[in-house]
Amino acid sequence: MNKALLVVDYTVDFVAIDGALTCGEPGIALEDYITQLTEDFLKQQHPVFVINDLHEKNDPYHPESALFPPHNIRGTAGRNLYGKMNDLYKEHEQEIMWMDKTRYSAFAGTDLDIQLRARNISEIHLTGVCTDICILHTAVDAYNKGYKIFVHQGGVASFNPSGHDWALSHFQSSLGATVIPN
């Protein structure tokens, strides 16, 4: 089965202690797992996508502007991948596909589905943040598009612990996803 790794929103703004909309310690704790998983996918020559929020400064028309503080603003260091993932991306920039998204789901307003289908991908592996927001909405869209979904429990986190737990359960019970335990 052809598979791909999706690393969603693992950026400074979402992970660093001083990030604009941070998961903090739970997000930081993912660093080694996500980096190692990415290296494994690259070694096995499976596609890796990093898909990150892109927002414009003071955008009054974006719905998240009323929900969250400004984050992942174009041209800011907050959009960089966090820690070791940033280093790995720089080392493998030609192999890792970067995508910008402006909504929760990595499929909304991107050509992710086209890129996956062009590579005959039928199985996606999800990592990143936030479990109950962008990972969840990406998983729902993947389900609706017919992908087999794997969520790496050791590779997802949220700033909302109860939302994180609920989403892990929802992936299995409502989306038929496989949650790979820590």
Side-chain angles (χ1 to χ4, degrees):
M1 184 165 291
N2 290 335
K3 62 184 179 177
L5 177 65
L6 278 56
V7 180
V8 179
D9 288 334
Y10 200 68
T11 65
V12 170
D13 270 354
F14 283 119
V15 178
I17 293 297
D18 60 348
L21 186 57
T22 187
C23 289
E25 291 297 332
I28 291 169
L30 308 177
E31 183 177 14
D32 288 337
Y33 185 96
I34 291 176
T35 303
Q36 184 61 57
L37 187 63
T38 302
E39 288 175 347
D40 292 346
F41 267 70
L42 290 171
K43 284 177 190 167
Q44 296 167 16
Q45 298 185 325
H46 294 299
V48 174
F49 294 82
V50 294
I51 307 156
N52 296 313
D53 264 6
L54 171 63
H55 296 289
E56 303 299 335
K57 188 174 182 176
N58 301 319
D59 182 356
Y61 302 107
H62 195 288
E64 284 183 41
S65 298
L67 298 170
F68 300 109
H71 59 281
N72 278 37
I73 304 298
R74 183 188 304 274
T76 66
R79 289 202 71 233
N80 293 338
L81 292 173
Y82 180 79
K84 294 175 186 174
M85 270 305 295
N86 197 47
D87 297 336
L88 185 63
Y89 176 73
K90 287 178 181 177
E91 184 181 331
H92 294 277
E93 204 167 340
Q94 299 302 315
E95 301 159 77
I96 298 173
M97 290 158 272
W98 180 291
M99 285 189 169
D100 294 324
K101 65 181 182 66
T102 62
R103 296 297 187 263
Y104 298 147
S105 173
F107 289 95
T110 71
D111 70 346
L112 178 60
D113 187 48
I114 292 169
Q115 294 297 329
L116 293 171
R117 294 196 191 283
R119 291 161 177 79
N120 294 313
I121 301 300
S122 56
E123 175 180 309
I124 63 165
H125 289 252
L126 292 170
T127 63
V129 296
C130 287
T131 315
D132 53 331
I133 305 173
C134 295
I135 301 298
L136 173 65
H137 288 262
T138 298
V140 168
D141 279 353
Y143 170 82
N144 288 331
K145 294 178 182 303
Y147 291 98
K148 186 168 181 154
I149 305 162
F150 292 81
V151 178
H152 291 256
Q153 187 171 355
V156 293
S158 179
F159 48 73
N160 176 351
S162 61
H164 169 81
D165 292 341
W166 175 87
L168 288 174
S169 173
H170 185 76
F171 294 139
Q172 291 177 311
S173 64
S174 295
L175 302 179
T178 300
V179 174
I180 298 173
N182 292 340

